[in-house]
Amino acid sequence: MASQWTGWPWVAAGASGLAVVVTVGAAAGVASRDAVAAGAAEPLTREVVTTVTETVTSTATTVSTVTVTVTPPPPPGPAVEFSVGTYEVGVDVQPGKYKSPGPAGSMCYWARKSADGSNIVDNGLSEGPVTITIKAGELIEISGCSVFTKA
Protein backbone atom coordinates (compact mmCIF):
# COMPACT_ATOMS: atom_id res chain seq x y z
CA MET A 1 0.00 0.00 0.00
CA ALA A 2 1.12 3.37 -0.73
CA SER A 3 1.76 5.76 2.04
CA GLN A 4 -0.51 8.68 2.42
CA TRP A 5 0.82 12.09 2.59
CA THR A 6 -0.24 13.61 5.86
CA GLY A 7 0.64 17.21 4.95
CA TRP A 8 -2.70 17.95 3.35
CA PRO A 9 -4.62 18.47 6.54
CA TRP A 10 -2.08 21.11 7.58
CA VAL A 11 -2.25 22.78 4.22
CA ALA A 12 -6.04 22.73 4.34
CA ALA A 13 -6.04 24.06 7.88
CA GLY A 14 -3.52 26.74 6.92
CA ALA A 15 -5.57 27.77 3.90
CA SER A 16 -8.74 28.05 5.92
CA GLY A 17 -6.85 30.02 8.58
CA LEU A 18 -5.59 32.35 5.89
CA ALA A 19 -9.14 32.86 4.70
CA VAL A 20 -10.22 33.75 8.23
CA VAL A 21 -7.36 36.25 8.58
CA VAL A 22 -8.16 37.86 5.20
CA THR A 23 -11.87 38.04 6.07
CA VAL A 24 -11.22 39.54 9.53
CA GLY A 25 -8.67 41.97 8.08
CA ALA A 26 -11.06 43.08 5.39
CA ALA A 27 -13.81 43.58 7.94
CA ALA A 28 -11.46 45.58 10.13
CA GLY A 29 -10.53 47.74 7.14
CA VAL A 30 -14.19 48.49 6.46
CA ALA A 31 -14.77 49.37 10.11
CA SER A 32 -11.70 51.59 10.09
CA ARG A 33 -12.84 53.41 6.92
CA ASP A 34 -16.31 54.01 8.44
CA ALA A 35 -14.73 55.45 11.61
CA VAL A 36 -12.63 57.87 9.54
CA ALA A 37 -15.66 58.93 7.52
CA ALA A 38 -17.70 59.46 10.66
CA GLY A 39 -15.20 61.32 12.81
CA ALA A 40 -12.12 62.56 11.04
CA ALA A 41 -13.53 63.71 7.74
CA GLU A 42 -15.82 66.72 7.25
CA PRO A 43 -19.47 65.72 6.92
CA LEU A 44 -21.00 66.17 3.51
CA THR A 45 -23.52 69.02 3.30
CA ARG A 46 -26.03 70.07 0.71
CA GLU A 47 -27.24 73.56 0.18
CA VAL A 48 -30.83 74.01 -0.85
CA VAL A 49 -31.70 77.23 -2.64
CA THR A 50 -35.31 78.27 -2.92
CA THR A 51 -36.41 81.04 -5.23
CA VAL A 52 -39.67 82.82 -4.59
CA THR A 53 -41.18 85.05 -7.23
CA GLU A 54 -43.95 87.45 -6.30
CA THR A 55 -46.08 89.29 -8.80
CA VAL A 56 -48.06 92.33 -7.70
CA THR A 57 -50.71 93.80 -9.94
CA SER A 58 -52.01 97.29 -9.25
CA THR A 59 -54.87 99.01 -10.96
CA ALA A 60 -54.33 102.46 -9.44
CA THR A 61 -51.19 104.60 -9.64
CA THR A 62 -50.59 107.64 -7.46
CA VAL A 63 -47.76 110.02 -8.23
CA SER A 64 -46.78 112.67 -5.70
CA THR A 65 -44.40 115.50 -6.38
CA VAL A 66 -42.71 117.24 -3.51
CA THR A 67 -40.89 120.48 -4.16
CA VAL A 68 -38.35 121.57 -1.60
CA THR A 69 -36.87 125.01 -1.87
CA VAL A 70 -33.60 125.48 -0.08
CA THR A 71 -32.45 129.00 0.45
CA PRO A 72 -28.77 129.23 1.26
CA PRO A 73 -27.87 131.46 4.17
CA PRO A 74 -26.89 134.95 3.16
CA PRO A 75 -23.18 135.46 2.70
CA PRO A 76 -21.48 136.80 5.78
CA GLY A 77 -21.33 140.54 5.97
CA PRO A 78 -18.12 142.49 5.97
CA ALA A 79 -15.65 141.34 8.61
CA VAL A 80 -14.89 143.23 11.81
CA GLU A 81 -11.24 142.19 11.88
CA PHE A 82 -8.50 141.72 9.33
CA SER A 83 -4.76 141.16 9.06
CA VAL A 84 -2.15 141.08 6.28
CA GLY A 85 -3.68 141.68 2.83
CA THR A 86 -5.70 144.22 0.83
CA TYR A 87 -9.44 144.64 1.54
CA GLU A 88 -12.29 146.68 0.09
CA VAL A 89 -13.92 148.67 2.89
CA GLY A 90 -17.70 148.16 3.00
CA VAL A 91 -17.43 144.84 1.08
CA ASP A 92 -14.66 142.83 2.75
CA VAL A 93 -14.45 144.73 6.05
CA GLN A 94 -16.83 147.13 7.79
CA PRO A 95 -15.98 150.82 7.80
CA GLY A 96 -14.99 152.29 11.15
CA LYS A 97 -12.21 152.59 13.69
CA TYR A 98 -9.76 149.66 14.09
CA LYS A 99 -6.92 148.91 16.50
CA SER A 100 -3.91 146.59 16.27
CA PRO A 101 -1.37 145.79 18.99
CA GLY A 102 1.34 146.55 16.44
CA PRO A 103 3.74 144.63 14.25
CA ALA A 104 3.68 140.86 13.90
CA GLY A 105 7.41 141.12 13.20
CA SER A 106 9.60 144.21 13.29
CA MET A 107 7.42 146.80 11.51
CA CYS A 108 3.70 147.30 10.73
CA TYR A 109 2.76 149.09 7.48
CA TRP A 110 -0.78 150.16 6.61
CA ALA A 111 -2.18 152.22 3.75
CA ARG A 112 -5.65 153.60 2.99
CA LYS A 113 -6.03 153.83 -0.78
CA SER A 114 -8.57 155.16 -3.28
CA ALA A 115 -11.17 152.66 -4.60
CA ASP A 116 -9.10 151.92 -7.69
CA GLY A 117 -5.90 151.59 -5.60
CA SER A 118 -4.05 154.25 -7.59
CA ASN A 119 -3.80 156.88 -4.81
CA ILE A 120 -2.69 156.60 -1.19
CA VAL A 121 -5.12 158.52 1.00
CA ASP A 122 -3.16 157.92 4.24
CA ASN A 123 -0.50 155.47 5.41
CA GLY A 124 1.81 154.71 8.29
CA LEU A 125 4.72 152.59 9.50
CA SER A 126 4.73 151.60 13.14
CA GLU A 127 6.75 149.68 15.69
CA GLY A 128 3.94 149.81 18.28
CA PRO A 129 0.13 149.82 18.57
CA VAL A 130 -1.83 151.28 15.64
CA THR A 131 -5.30 152.87 15.41
CA ILE A 132 -6.81 153.68 12.00
CA THR A 133 -10.21 154.82 10.72
CA ILE A 134 -11.27 153.41 7.35
CA LYS A 135 -14.17 154.57 5.13
CA ALA A 136 -16.52 152.75 2.73
CA GLY A 137 -15.25 152.78 -0.86
CA GLU A 138 -11.57 152.77 0.13
CA LEU A 139 -9.05 149.97 0.03
CA ILE A 140 -7.02 149.11 3.11
CA GLU A 141 -3.65 147.44 2.67
CA ILE A 142 -1.89 145.79 5.63
CA SER A 143 1.65 144.37 5.77
CA GLY A 144 3.57 142.98 8.76
CA CYS A 145 0.87 143.89 11.32
CA SER A 146 -0.97 141.82 13.91
CA VAL A 147 -4.76 141.54 13.56
CA PHE A 148 -6.78 144.77 13.38
CA THR A 149 -10.03 144.56 15.39
CA LYS A 150 -12.96 146.97 15.21
CA ALA A 151 -12.89 149.28 18.22
Side-chain angles (χ1 to χ4, degrees):
M1 177 157 204
S3 84
Q4 265 189 320
W5 183 60
T6 57
W8 282 108
W10 292 105
V11 173
S16 64
L18 179 61
V20 170
V21 170
V22 170
T23 304
V24 170
V30 170
S32 175
R33 184 188 71 216
D34 290 344
V36 169
E42 291 291 321
L44 297 177
T45 59
R46 284 191 348 192
E47 183 176 333
V48 177
V49 178
T50 304
T51 303
V52 177
T53 304
E54 182 178 356
T55 303
V56 178
T57 305
S58 175
T59 57
T61 302
T62 303
V63 176
S64 297
T65 302
V66 177
T67 303
V68 177
T69 304
V70 177
T71 305
V80 293
E81 62 180 31
F82 54 91
S83 60
V84 175
T86 301
Y87 306 92
E88 185 176 350
V89 180
V91 175
D92 301 323
V93 296
Q94 292 181 6
K97 186 177 192 178
Y98 287 83
K99 293 183 177 185
S100 172
S106 60
M107 298 294 279
C108 170
Y109 173 77
W110 60 270
R112 290 177 42 219
K113 297 182 175 184
S114 60
D116 65 2
S118 62
N119 295 318
I120 295 177
V121 176
D122 193 8
N123 67 351
L125 186 61
S126 174
E127 292 181 36
V130 178
T131 300
I132 57 174
T133 300
I134 55 177
K135 300 177 183 174
E138 295 180 337
L139 297 179
I140 183 70
E141 180 182 329
I142 305 297
S143 177
C145 303
S146 295
V147 175
F148 279 86
T149 305
K150 193 166 186 180

Coordinates of all heavy atoms in Angstrom, one line a residue, residues 74-135:
P74 N -27.5 133.8 3.8 CA -26.9 134.9 3.2 C -25.4 134.9 3.4 O -24.9 134.4 4.4 CB -27.5 136.2 3.8 CG -28.1 135.7 5.1 CD -28.4 134.2 4.9
P75 N -24.6 135.4 2.5 CA -23.2 135.5 2.7 C -22.9 136.3 3.9 O -23.6 137.2 4.2 CB -22.6 136.1 1.4 CG -23.8 136.8 0.8 CD -25.0 136.1 1.2
P76 N -21.8 136.0 4.6 CA -21.5 136.8 5.8 C -21.2 138.2 5.4 O -20.7 138.5 4.3 CB -20.2 136.1 6.3 CG -19.7 135.4 5.2 CD -20.8 135.0 4.3
G77 N -21.6 139.1 6.2 CA -21.3 140.5 6.0 C -19.9 140.8 6.1 O -19.0 140.0 6.3
P78 N -19.5 142.1 5.9 CA -18.1 142.5 6.0 C -17.6 142.1 7.3 O -18.3 142.2 8.3 CB -18.2 144.0 5.8 CG -19.4 144.2 5.0 CD -20.4 143.2 5.5
A79 N -16.3 141.8 7.4 CA -15.7 141.3 8.6 C -15.4 142.5 9.5 O -15.4 143.7 9.1 CB -14.3 140.7 8.3
V80 N -15.2 142.2 10.8 CA -14.9 143.2 11.8 C -13.5 143.1 12.3 O -13.1 143.7 13.3 CB -15.9 143.2 13.0 CG1 -17.3 143.6 12.5 CG2 -15.9 141.8 13.7
E81 N -12.7 142.3 11.6 CA -11.2 142.2 11.9 C -10.5 141.7 10.6 O -11.1 141.1 9.8 CB -10.9 141.3 13.1 CG -11.3 139.9 12.9 CD -10.9 139.1 14.2 OE1 -10.9 139.6 15.3 OE2 -10.6 137.9 14.0
F82 N -9.3 142.1 10.5 CA -8.5 141.7 9.3 C -7.0 141.8 9.7 O -6.6 142.3 10.7 CB -8.8 142.6 8.1 CG -8.7 144.1 8.4 CD1 -7.5 144.8 8.2 CD2 -9.7 144.8 8.9 CE1 -7.3 146.1 8.5 CE2 -9.6 146.2 9.2 CZ -8.4 146.8 9.0
S83 N -6.2 141.1 8.8 CA -4.8 141.2 9.1 C -4.1 141.4 7.7 O -4.6 142.1 6.9 CB -4.3 139.9 9.7 OG -4.6 138.8 8.9
V84 N -2.9 140.8 7.5 CA -2.1 141.1 6.3 C -3.0 140.8 5.0 O -3.7 139.8 4.9 CB -0.9 140.2 6.3 CG1 -0.1 140.4 5.0 CG2 0.0 140.5 7.5
G85 N -3.0 141.8 4.1 CA -3.7 141.7 2.8 C -4.3 143.0 2.4 O -4.0 144.1 3.0
T86 N -5.0 143.0 1.3 CA -5.7 144.2 0.8 C -7.2 143.9 0.8 O -7.6 142.9 0.3 CB -5.2 144.6 -0.6 OG1 -3.8 144.8 -0.5 CG2 -5.9 145.9 -1.1
Y87 N -8.0 144.8 1.4 CA -9.4 144.6 1.5 C -10.2 145.9 1.0 O -9.7 147.0 1.2 CB -9.8 144.4 3.0 CG -9.0 143.3 3.7 CD1 -7.8 143.6 4.3 CD2 -9.4 142.0 3.6 CE1 -7.0 142.6 4.9 CE2 -8.6 141.0 4.2 CZ -7.5 141.3 4.8 OH -6.7 140.3 5.4
E88 N -11.4 145.6 0.5 CA -12.3 146.7 0.1 C -13.2 147.0 1.3 O -13.9 146.1 1.8 CB -13.1 146.2 -1.1 CG -14.0 147.4 -1.7 CD -14.7 147.0 -3.0 OE1 -14.4 145.9 -3.5 OE2 -15.6 147.7 -3.4
V89 N -13.1 148.2 1.7 CA -13.9 148.7 2.9 C -15.4 148.8 2.5 O -15.7 149.4 1.5 CB -13.4 150.0 3.4 CG1 -14.2 150.5 4.7 CG2 -11.9 149.9 3.8
G90 N -16.3 148.2 3.3 CA -17.7 148.2 3.0 C -18.1 146.9 2.3 O -19.3 146.5 2.3
V91 N -17.2 146.1 1.7 CA -17.4 144.8 1.1 C -16.7 143.7 1.9 O -17.4 142.8 2.3 CB -17.0 144.8 -0.4 CG1 -17.1 143.5 -1.0 CG2 -17.7 145.9 -1.2
D92 N -15.4 143.8 2.0 CA -14.7 142.8 2.8 C -14.6 143.1 4.3 O -14.7 142.2 5.0 CB -13.2 142.8 2.2 CG -13.1 142.4 0.8 OD1 -14.0 141.6 0.3 OD2 -12.3 143.0 0.1
V93 N -14.5 144.3 4.6 CA -14.4 144.7 6.1 C -15.4 145.9 6.3 O -15.6 146.7 5.3 CB -13.0 145.1 6.5 CG1 -12.1 143.9 6.5 CG2 -12.5 146.3 5.8
Q94 N -15.9 146.0 7.5 CA -16.8 147.1 7.8 C -16.0 148.4 7.9 O -14.9 148.4 8.4 CB -17.6 146.8 9.1 CG -18.6 145.7 9.0 CD -19.3 145.5 10.3 OE1 -19.2 146.2 11.3 NE2 -20.1 144.4 10.4
P95 N -16.6 149.5 7.5 CA -16.0 150.8 7.8 C -16.0 151.1 9.3 O -16.7 150.5 10.0 CB -16.9 151.9 7.1 CG -18.0 151.1 6.5 CD -17.9 149.7 6.8
G96 N -15.0 151.9 9.7 CA -15.0 152.3 11.2 C -13.6 152.4 11.7 O -12.6 152.4 10.9
K97 N -13.5 152.4 13.0 CA -12.2 152.6 13.7 C -11.7 151.2 14.1 O -12.4 150.4 14.7 CB -12.4 153.5 14.9 CG -11.2 153.8 15.7 CD -11.6 154.7 16.8 CE -10.4 155.4 17.4 NZ -10.8 156.3 18.5
Y98 N -10.4 150.9 13.8 CA -9.8 149.7 14.1 C -8.5 149.9 14.9 O -7.8 150.9 14.7 CB -9.5 148.9 12.8 CG -10.7 148.3 12.1 CD1 -11.5 149.1 11.3 CD2 -11.1 147.0 12.3 CE1 -12.6 148.6 10.7 CE2 -12.2 146.5 11.7 CZ -13.0 147.3 10.9 OH -14.1 146.8 10.3
K99 N -8.2 148.9 15.7 CA -6.9 148.9 16.5 C -6.2 147.6 16.3 O -6.7 146.6 16.1 CB -7.2 149.1 18.0 CG -7.8 150.4 18.3 CD -8.0 150.6 19.8 CE -8.5 151.9 20.1 NZ -8.6 152.2 21.6
S100 N -4.8 147.7 16.3 CA -3.9 146.6 16.3 C -2.9 146.8 17.3 O -2.4 147.9 17.6 CB -3.2 146.5 14.9 OG -2.2 145.5 14.9
P101 N -2.4 145.7 18.0 CA -1.4 145.8 19.0 C 0.0 146.1 18.4 O 0.9 146.4 19.1 CB -1.3 144.4 19.7 CG -2.0 143.5 18.7 CD -2.9 144.3 17.9
G102 N 0.1 146.2 17.1 CA 1.3 146.5 16.4 C 1.9 145.5 15.5 O 1.1 144.7 15.0
P103 N 3.1 145.5 15.2 CA 3.7 144.6 14.3 C 3.7 143.2 14.7 O 3.8 142.8 15.8 CB 5.2 145.1 14.1 CG 5.4 146.0 15.3 CD 4.1 146.4 15.9
A104 N 3.6 142.3 13.7 CA 3.7 140.9 13.9 C 5.2 140.5 13.9 O 5.5 139.4 14.4 CB 2.9 140.1 12.8
G105 N 6.0 141.3 13.3 CA 7.4 141.1 13.2 C 8.1 142.4 13.7 O 7.8 142.8 14.8
S106 N 8.9 143.0 12.8 CA 9.6 144.2 13.3 C 8.8 145.5 13.0 O 8.9 146.5 13.7 CB 11.0 144.2 12.6 OG 10.9 144.3 11.2
M107 N 8.1 145.6 11.9 CA 7.4 146.8 11.5 C 6.0 146.5 11.0 O 5.8 145.4 10.4 CB 8.2 147.5 10.4 CG 9.6 148.0 10.8 SD 9.6 149.2 12.1 CE 9.2 150.7 11.1
C108 N 5.1 147.4 11.2 CA 3.7 147.3 10.7 C 3.4 148.4 9.7 O 3.6 149.6 10.1 CB 2.8 147.4 11.9 SG 1.0 147.5 11.5
Y109 N 3.1 148.1 8.5 CA 2.8 149.1 7.5 C 1.3 149.0 7.1 O 0.8 147.9 7.0 CB 3.6 148.9 6.2 CG 3.2 149.8 5.1 CD1 3.5 151.1 5.1 CD2 2.4 149.3 4.0 CE1 3.2 152.0 4.1 CE2 2.0 150.2 3.0 CZ 2.4 151.5 3.1 OH 2.0 152.4 2.1
W110 N 0.6 150.1 7.0 CA -0.8 150.2 6.6 C -0.9 151.3 5.6 O -0.2 152.3 5.7 CB -1.7 150.3 7.8 CG -1.5 151.6 8.6 CD1 -0.7 151.7 9.7 CD2 -2.1 152.8 8.4 NE1 -0.7 153.0 10.1 CE2 -1.6 153.7 9.3 CE3 -3.0 153.4 7.5 CZ2 -1.9 155.1 9.4 CZ3 -3.3 154.7 7.5 CH2 -2.8 155.5 8.5
A111 N -1.9 151.1 4.7 CA -2.2 152.2 3.8 C -3.7 152.2 3.4 O -4.2 151.2 3.1 CB -1.3 152.0 2.5
R112 N -4.3 153.4 3.5 CA -5.7 153.6 3.0 C -5.5 154.1 1.6 O -4.8 155.1 1.3 CB -6.4 154.6 3.8 CG -6.7 154.2 5.2 CD -7.4 155.2 6.1 NE -8.4 156.0 5.4 CZ -8.5 157.3 5.5 NH1 -7.8 158.0 6.4 NH2 -9.5 158.0 4.9
K113 N -6.2 153.5 0.6 CA -6.0 153.8 -0.8 C -7.4 154.2 -1.4 O -8.4 153.8 -0.9 CB -5.4 152.7 -1.6 CG -4.0 152.3 -1.1 CD -3.4 151.2 -2.0 CE -1.9 150.9 -1.7 NZ -1.4 149.9 -2.5
S114 N -7.3 154.9 -2.5 CA -8.6 155.2 -3.3 C -9.2 153.8 -3.8 O -8.5 152.8 -3.8 CB -8.3 156.1 -4.5 OG -7.3 155.5 -5.3
A115 N -10.4 153.9 -4.2 CA -11.2 152.7 -4.6 C -10.5 151.9 -5.7 O -10.5 150.7 -5.7 CB -12.6 153.0 -5.0
D116 N -9.8 152.6 -6.6 CA -9.1 151.9 -7.7 C -7.7 151.6 -7.3 O -7.0 150.9 -8.1 CB -9.1 152.8 -9.0 CG -8.4 154.1 -8.9 OD1 -7.8 154.4 -7.8 OD2 -8.4 154.8 -9.8
G117 N -7.2 151.9 -6.1 CA -5.9 151.6 -5.6 C -4.8 152.4 -6.1 O -3.6 152.2 -5.8
S118 N -5.1 153.5 -7.0 CA -4.0 154.2 -7.6 C -3.5 155.4 -6.7 O -2.4 155.8 -6.9 CB -4.6 154.9 -8.9 OG -5.6 155.7 -8.6
N119 N -4.2 155.8 -5.7 CA -3.8 156.9 -4.8 C -3.8 156.4 -3.4 O -4.7 155.8 -2.9 CB -4.7 158.1 -4.9 CG -4.7 158.7 -6.3 OD1 -3.6 158.8 -6.9 ND2 -5.8 159.1 -6.8
I120 N -2.7 156.8 -2.6 CA -2.7 156.6 -1.2 C -3.3 157.8 -0.5 O -2.9 158.9 -0.7 CB -1.2 156.4 -0.7 CG1 -0.6 155.2 -1.3 CG2 -1.2 156.3 0.8 CD1 0.8 154.9 -1.0
V121 N -4.4 157.5 0.3 CA -5.1 158.5 1.0 C -4.4 158.8 2.3 O -4.2 160.0 2.7 CB -6.6 158.1 1.3 CG1 -7.3 159.1 2.1 CG2 -7.3 157.8 0.0
D122 N -3.9 157.8 3.0 CA -3.2 157.9 4.2 C -2.4 156.6 4.4 O -2.8 155.6 3.9 CB -4.1 158.1 5.4 CG -3.5 158.6 6.7 OD1 -2.3 158.9 6.6 OD2 -4.1 158.7 7.7
N123 N -1.3 156.7 5.1 CA -0.5 155.5 5.4 C 0.4 155.7 6.6 O 0.5 156.8 7.2 CB 0.3 155.0 4.2 CG 1.5 156.0 3.9 OD1 1.5 157.1 4.4 ND2 2.3 155.6 3.0
G124 N 1.0 154.6 7.1 CA 1.8 154.7 8.3 C 2.7 153.5 8.4 O 2.4 152.4 7.9
L125 N 3.8 153.7 9.2 CA 4.7 152.6 9.5 C 4.9 152.7 11.0 O 5.3 153.7 11.5 CB 6.0 152.8 8.7 CG 7.1 151.8 8.8 CD1 6.6 150.5 8.2 CD2 8.3 152.2 8.1
S126 N 4.7 151.6 11.7 CA 4.7 151.6 13.1 C 5.5 150.4 13.7 O 5.5 149.3 13.2 CB 3.3 151.6 13.7 OG 3.3 151.5 15.0
E127 N 6.1 150.7 14.9 CA 6.8 149.7 15.7 C 5.9 149.3 16.9 O 6.3 148.5 17.7 CB 8.1 150.2 16.1 CG 9.1 150.3 15.0 CD 10.5 150.8 15.5 OE1 10.9 150.4 16.6 OE2 11.1 151.6 14.8
G128 N 4.8 150.0 17.1 CA 3.9 149.8 18.3 C 2.5 149.7 17.9 O 2.2 149.5 16.7
P129 N 1.6 149.9 18.8 CA 0.1 149.8 18.6 C -0.3 150.8 17.5 O 0.3 151.9 17.4 CB -0.5 150.1 19.9 CG 0.5 149.9 20.9 CD 1.8 150.1 20.3
V130 N -1.3 150.4 16.7 CA -1.8 151.3 15.6 C -3.3 151.4 15.8 O -4.0 150.4 16.0 CB -1.5 150.6 14.3 CG1 -2.0 151.5 13.1 CG2 0.0 150.4 14.1
T131 N -3.9 152.6 15.5 CA -5.3 152.9 15.4 C -5.5 153.6 14.1 O -4.9 154.6 13.8 CB -5.8 153.7 16.6 OG1 -5.5 153.1 17.8 CG2 -7.3 154.0 16.5
I132 N -6.5 153.0 13.3 CA -6.8 153.7 12.0 C -8.3 153.7 11.9 O -9.1 153.0 12.5 CB -6.2 152.9 10.8 CG1 -6.7 151.5 10.8 CG2 -4.7 153.0 10.8 CD1 -6.2 150.7 9.5
T133 N -8.8 154.7 11.1 CA -10.2 154.8 10.7 C -10.3 154.7 9.2 O -9.7 155.4 8.5 CB -10.8 156.2 11.2 OG1 -10.6 156.3 12.6 CG2 -12.3 156.3 10.8
I134 N -11.1 153.7 8.8 CA -11.3 153.4 7.4 C -12.7 153.7 6.9 O -13.6 153.6 7.7 CB -10.9 152.0 7.0 CG1 -11.7 150.9 7.8 CG2 -9.4 151.7 7.2 CD1 -11.4 149.5 7.5
K135 N -12.9 154.1 5.6 CA -14.2 154.6 5.1 C -14.6 153.7 4.0 O -13.8 153.2 3.2 CB -14.1 156.0 4.7 CG -13.7 157.0 5.8 CD -13.5 158.4 5.2 CE -13.0 159.3 6.4 NZ -12.7 160.6 5.9

